[in-house]
Amino acid sequence: MPDPSDDGRRIVEAADRLFYGRGIQAVGMDLVRAEAGVPLKRIYARFPSKEALVEAVMRHRMGIWDAGIAAAAASATTPRERLLAIYDFLDDWFRDDGFRGCGFINAFGELGAVSPAVAHLAQEQKASFQAYVAELVDRLGAAPSLAAQLSLLAEGAQTTAAIGGTPDAARHAREAATVLIDAALPARV
């Protein structure tokens, strides 16, 4: 028999797979129950509404994103390398068979207009990513506007890869990021 203490994790991971693969509105709680192998009563005991489950899934996905970015940057030794590692992370992610675009953009597109909580969490994730990029740009010694430019490249690559079905968007974004970073750095004598 499955450990009830793992129910929350199992439910969130199952809902994440389903919401990301099929869309939030297309997935009912019965399907989550079947995928998680947890009785519906126990799901509602942990998550009193579907919106509460969506919020938990979005927080879970934030952790996945942050861990992926950190892992990509782990071997980088300079702010420049860490910035470019973002696009290497994206390239790996875009090549995954399960890639369906940015889960936060997807959730915002589906529910942002009717769920302030979903809109807030999507905005929170984007702001967190932009702050990470801004911190690296600051360490690099470049103008703050570079952070916005590099963030837009990453966000645009995600959308382009999802809609176009090609992982090449990450490579193109990395090449553009390299040009922007190099142009933003003071000339070396």
Side-chain angles (χ1 to χ4, degrees):
M1 179 169 190
D3 182 357
S5 65
D6 287 340
D7 284 354
R9 178 189 51 76
R10 248 190 343 272
I11 295 164
V12 167
E13 289 175 354
D16 182 36
R17 284 190 302 276
L18 291 167
F19 293 163
Y20 186 65
R22 299 181 184 192
I24 296 167
Q25 294 181 51
V27 173
M29 294 301 274
D30 236 14
L31 193 53
V32 173
R33 174 199 54 77
E35 179 80 9
V38 175
L40 204 52
K41 186 175 180 175
R42 225 181 294 160
I43 292 174
Y44 280 113
R46 290 220 180 226
F47 306 99
S49 66
K50 184 175 179 182
E51 186 173 25
L53 180 57
V54 170
E55 291 172 31
V57 166
M58 290 180 76
R59 291 199 184 284
H60 169 73
R61 195 154 273 278
M62 280 185 206
I64 292 170
W65 171 267
D66 291 345
I69 293 288
S75 63
T77 58
T78 68
R80 181 181 191 281
E81 290 173 357
R82 285 186 181 98
L83 286 166
L84 293 175
I86 292 167
Y87 305 96
D88 297 334
F89 163 73
L90 294 176
D91 188 64
D92 288 343
W93 180 35
F94 297 170
R95 292 177 192 288
D96 184 284
D97 288 339
F99 175 71
R100 300 288 179 267
C102 173
F104 302 98
I105 293 171
N106 297 348
F108 185 84
E110 276 194 74
L111 300 173
V114 296
S115 172
V118 167
H120 172 75
L121 286 168
Q123 292 161 349
E124 180 182 320
Q125 189 276 330
K126 297 305 175 192
S128 173
F129 174 63
Q130 291 168 3
Y132 172 76
V133 174
E135 179 183 330
L136 291 175
V137 165
D138 184 55
R139 288 185 192 169
L140 189 67
S145 59
L146 178 62
Q149 295 163 354
L150 296 176
S151 295
L152 283 170
L153 278 174
E155 297 295 346
Q158 292 175 66
T159 302
T160 300
I163 294 171
T166 174
D168 293 341
R171 182 176 47 80
H172 296 304
R174 189 185 201 284
E175 290 168 358
T178 301
V179 171
L180 287 171
I181 291 167
D182 292 346
L185 292 176
R188 295 186 177 100
V189 179

